[in-house]
Amino acid sequence: MSQSTAPDVSAQVAGHPSSHPATAAELAGLKVKLRGALRQFPDFPSPGILFEDILPIFADPSLHEALIRSLELHILEAYGGQKPDVIVGLEARGFLIGPSLALRLGASFVPVRKQGKLPGPCETQAYEKEYGQDFFQMQTGSIKPGQKVIIVDDIIATGGSALAGAQMIQKMGGDLLSFIFILELEFLHGRDKLPAPVYTLLSGQA
Ligand SMILES: O=P(O)(O)OC[C@H]1O[C@H](OP(=O)(O)OP(=O)(O)O)[C@H](O)[C@@H]1O
Ligand SMILES: Nc1ncnc2[nH]cnc12
Ligand SMILES: [Mg+2]
């Protein structure tokens, strides 16, 4: 098992933010570390797409820890020490981030899955992304009315995937606090179509 130097923040999330050792300098250092790990693959999965590969972050426990710590620092600062009730992750790469971030914060994790994977009654939402179309689903009732929700995913490109998640959460009465991504493809202006504040650790392909 890997060693983690991060403190247990579950108490600090509930407490006063000024007691947390969060600093802009710490976050800046973590971002530099994470930026250096990303890889790009031209023409994947189709011609003209420059694919941003975030998987090296998860291959290295210290980078993995840097990622979760960065997102945790942002949430602690953004919400004044209050924690969200639910972290929602978008299948598939959002599942790499969502559960560990939720655990760190003492929040629930709820998945958005591609159509046909979830049992029982579901909410369904069609969406378009940078290189295709698909349908997302959530189990009906997986978000309770009034719950404070943050959506996490690896990348925001056109914003279509994240918008679909937001639409299902809002249909169930969730209070969507924000969207959090590792990387933003700024030239696609995806954040402009999203109905809550957007935070991205890194920007790319401006
Ligand atoms: O902002 P958008 O244009 O919607 O694109 C961003 C989405 O595209 C990718 O998911 P994809 O479904 O392609 O692959 P995955 O199943 O590996 O997450 C990426 O992980 C984001 O979820
Ligand atoms: N350029 C890109 N790289 C990786 N994932 C993506 N999802 C949508 N666009 C992407
Ligand atoms: Mg995805």
Side-chain angles (χ1 to χ4, degrees), residues 67-149:
L67 173 65
I68 299 304
R69 175 71 175 153
S70 302
L71 301 180
E72 174 197 359
L73 282 176
H74 162 67
I75 291 170
L76 289 170
E77 292 188 346
Y79 301 107
Q82 287 196 323
K83 72 177 182 72
D85 299 307
V86 184
I87 298 292
V88 166
L90 308 183
E91 182 176 1
R93 284 174 256 158
F95 293 1
L96 298 172
I97 311 161
S100 45
L101 181 61
L103 189 63
R104 182 67 67 90
L105 295 169
S108 303
F109 174 76
V110 171
V112 167
R113 295 216 60 183
K114 289 172 184 171
Q115 191 172 38
K117 302 288 187 182
L118 289 169
C122 288
E123 308 297 328
T124 302
Q125 184 65 53
Y127 67 98
E128 286 187 40
K129 57 187 175 183
E130 191 184 10
Y131 44 74
Q133 293 180 312
D134 218 329
F135 291 88
F136 265 156
Q137 291 188 317
M138 296 181 78
Q139 286 176 312
T140 301
S142 57
I143 302 295
K144 307 284 181 289
Q147 280 191 313
K148 297 194 291 289
V149 181

